[in-house]
Amino acid sequence: MRIGIDARFYGSLGKGLGRYTEKLITHLERLPVDTNEYVVFLRKENFDEYQPVHPRFTKAVADYPWYGWQEQLMLPRLFNHFRLDLVHFPHFNVPILINIPFVVTIHDLILLHFPTVKASELPPFLYWLKYLAYRLVIACAIRRSRLIIAVSAFTQRDIESSYPAARGKTNLTLEAADPFCYWVSPAAEQTLLLSLGLVSKNKTGESIRPFILYVGNAYPHKNLELLLDAAVAFPEYLFLCVGKEDYFYRAFREKVIAAGMINIQFVGYLDDASLGVLYRRAQVYFFPSLYEGFGLPGLEAMNYGVPVVAAQAGSLPEVYGSAALYFDPTEPSACIDMLRQALSAQRNGSLRERGFSRVAEFSWRRMARDTLRLYHKAVQSK
């Protein structure tokens, strides 16, 4: 069987979607029982980021922007050229004109539940036009797909309750955190910590300023405004926000400046090794989101032994189980109380141990194996 994977989101270019796509391909290549041939389609920006390690895997350029007309018109022609038996779209943006059997991974329905012009740089008229196009594309993808992959039971229920056509063909494959931690040299670690202003000198020598970590984007549903309340309650801690600078981070930064908050700091994008330094040093990982399809950063934090304080929302309780402390994301006082509990030495240690146990229950290899099984099931189904 010849399978195409739309990997235009591959790697750091695609944020969370990029991580999922990268790990899927990496672990499909490592499956010994797989005899399929794969064509991995990438954009010019990330084409060199992926290098096939197995002869059954090849790559091709598909330099068409996401959510544009070229994606809708040119991508199906490119797929036909490679004579594919099946295409896997790791995101809902499936070309309406595609005539090849396909499976689609739907990570969440955030745009369906949080349609707001605050989530876009576009003028209101163009935003709502784009929103209608989104509704059309995702509805067509769900209706015409052979199978649908959901990354959590929460997302699976959400898809099936929102789109009756998905019932009976939605399947669950869970994401995971890497089973190892990234390390850098002591000199590189010291350089990073100094550049972020985390190293302070006193009479006894140098010390690391205690900080609470958030990793991700600043879209409205991420609920980062809650950081303003938390930063006031814990002035002795620095709140670090790691994520690529964009319109939403700039807007949140303006709110932070207007509020006069000096203990909220924006780090920008960091590679995995540098991020590993912050995970190891953080006192708590803070996740105030109103809606998440999976919530991978919290699981990655647990892998480094960081206690997680998360919103009681979306898939987060399902994914983190009893290894995190939860709060109502609409109640700042509840958030502050859980942060205070997580920062206490006794609770901190128990959360670390539960986090290690929880993260061990997830596996990228199992996710790839389950996805391969669904490929064969999709080709056999009508």
Side-chain angles (χ1 to χ4, degrees):
M1 184 164 61
R2 192 168 172 81
I3 300 170
I5 299 178
D6 179 12
R8 290 174 297 150
F9 282 104
Y10 184 96
S12 58
L13 183 66
K15 302 178 183 177
L17 289 171
R19 176 69 62 122
Y20 167 82
T21 307
E22 177 184 351
K23 296 303 180 183
L24 171 64
I25 294 169
T26 296
H27 289 273
L28 282 174
E29 285 188 287
R30 297 175 181 173
L31 292 179
V33 297
D34 190 0
T35 59
N36 298 316
E37 294 182 0
Y38 294 86
V39 182
V40 178
F41 296 91
L42 303 126
R43 298 193 65 179
K44 290 180 180 178
E45 294 173 79
N46 59 3
F47 190 78
D48 293 332
E49 195 171 341
Y50 168 64
Q51 300 297 334
V53 297
H54 197 288
R56 291 184 292 102
F57 284 72
T58 58
K59 60 179 182 176
V61 175
D63 199 30
Y64 307 123
W66 309 307
Y67 318 121
W69 67 268
Q70 290 181 332
E71 174 182 78
Q72 291 294 322
L73 298 180
M74 306 302 291
L75 206 54
R77 294 178 59 184
L78 181 63
F79 291 157
N80 287 334
H81 172 76
F82 282 88
R83 300 182 180 277
L84 303 172
D85 298 300
L86 183 74
V87 179
H88 182 184
F89 292 94
H91 192 37
F92 68 80
N93 54 326
V94 179
I96 293 175
L97 299 178
I98 189 170
N99 58 0
I100 300 171
F102 67 88
V103 299
V104 58
T105 299
I106 298 178
H107 297 261
D108 55 61
L109 295 178
I110 288 171
L111 285 176
L112 184 68
H113 298 300
F114 294 88
T116 169
V117 293
K118 294 181 181 180
S120 175
E121 299 179 63
L122 296 173
F125 172 76
L126 292 179
Y127 170 80
W128 289 113
L129 191 63
K130 183 179 179 180
Y131 175 73
L132 290 175
Y134 155 77
R135 295 291 300 264
L136 173 64
V137 168
I138 195 170
C140 286
I142 287 171
R143 186 176 66 253
R144 298 185 58 212
S145 63
R146 289 287 179 92
L147 292 175
I148 299 163
I149 297 173
V151 297
S152 65
F154 166 80
T155 297
Q156 183 175 10
R157 291 191 300 270
D158 199 12
I159 294 168
E160 293 182 347
S161 63
S162 302
Y163 295 94
R167 295 169 188 166
K169 61 178 181 178
T170 307
N171 300 264
L172 181 63
T173 66
L174 298 173
E175 296 183 7
D178 285 324
F180 57 87
C181 295
Y182 291 89
W183 291 86
V184 299
S185 68
E189 178 170 343
Q190 183 74 353
T191 299
L192 176 65
L193 295 174
L194 283 169
S195 69
L196 297 178
L198 296 176
V199 179
S200 60
K201 295 183 179 180
N202 50 44
K203 294 179 180 180
T204 59
E206 293 184 345
S207 61
I208 305 299
R209 183 175 179 183
F211 65 89
I212 293 167
L213 184 64
Y214 167 78
V215 179
N217 56 55
Y219 295 154
H221 74 275
K222 294 293 186 178
N223 197 28
L224 292 192
E225 283 78 5
L226 210 52
L227 281 171
L228 299 174
D229 297 282
V232 170
F234 299 95
E236 69 275 27
Y237 288 90
L238 191 63
F239 288 76
L240 290 188
C241 297
V242 180
K244 187 177 180 180
E245 177 81 5
D246 60 9
Y247 166 82
F248 303 102
Y249 257 124
R250 288 191 294 272
F252 181 55
R253 187 199 299 270
E254 290 175 2
K255 292 181 181 179
V256 170
I257 294 172
M261 303 305 304
I262 60 173
N263 60 330
I264 297 177
Q265 183 173 325
F266 300 91
V267 176
Y269 168 78
L270 291 179
D271 60 27
D272 288 330
S274 298
L275 184 56
V277 172
L278 297 186
Y279 274 136
R280 281 194 300 275
R281 296 284 190 170
Q283 269 64 48
V284 168
Y285 182 82
F286 183 52
F287 210 165
S289 182
L290 297 170
Y291 180 108
E292 290 293 326
F294 187 81
L296 182 56
L299 210 60
E300 292 177 339
M302 290 180 184
N303 197 43
Y304 283 86
V306 184
V308 173
V309 174
Q312 184 87 29
S315 66
L316 300 184
E318 170 196 342
V319 175
Y320 304 152
S322 62
L325 295 179
Y326 301 99
F327 60 90
D328 182 341
T330 65
E331 290 291 338
S333 60
C335 156
I336 292 166
D337 181 51
M338 287 300 105
L339 280 173
R340 187 170 288 113
Q341 287 192 42
L343 290 167
S344 69
Q346 183 178 5
R347 181 61 76 95
N348 201 304
S350 65
L351 284 174
R352 290 180 191 276
E353 294 305 316
R354 278 184 275 168
F356 287 138
S357 298
R358 185 62 176 174
V359 77
E361 298 178 22
F362 298 84
S363 165
W364 285 120
R365 180 180 177 85
R366 183 169 62 244
M367 184 271 288
R369 188 177 64 241
D370 292 344
T371 303
L372 174 62
R373 175 180 55 81
L374 294 176
Y375 289 162
H376 289 282
K377 181 179 176 181
V379 170
Q380 294 166 5
S381 66
K382 297 296 183 183

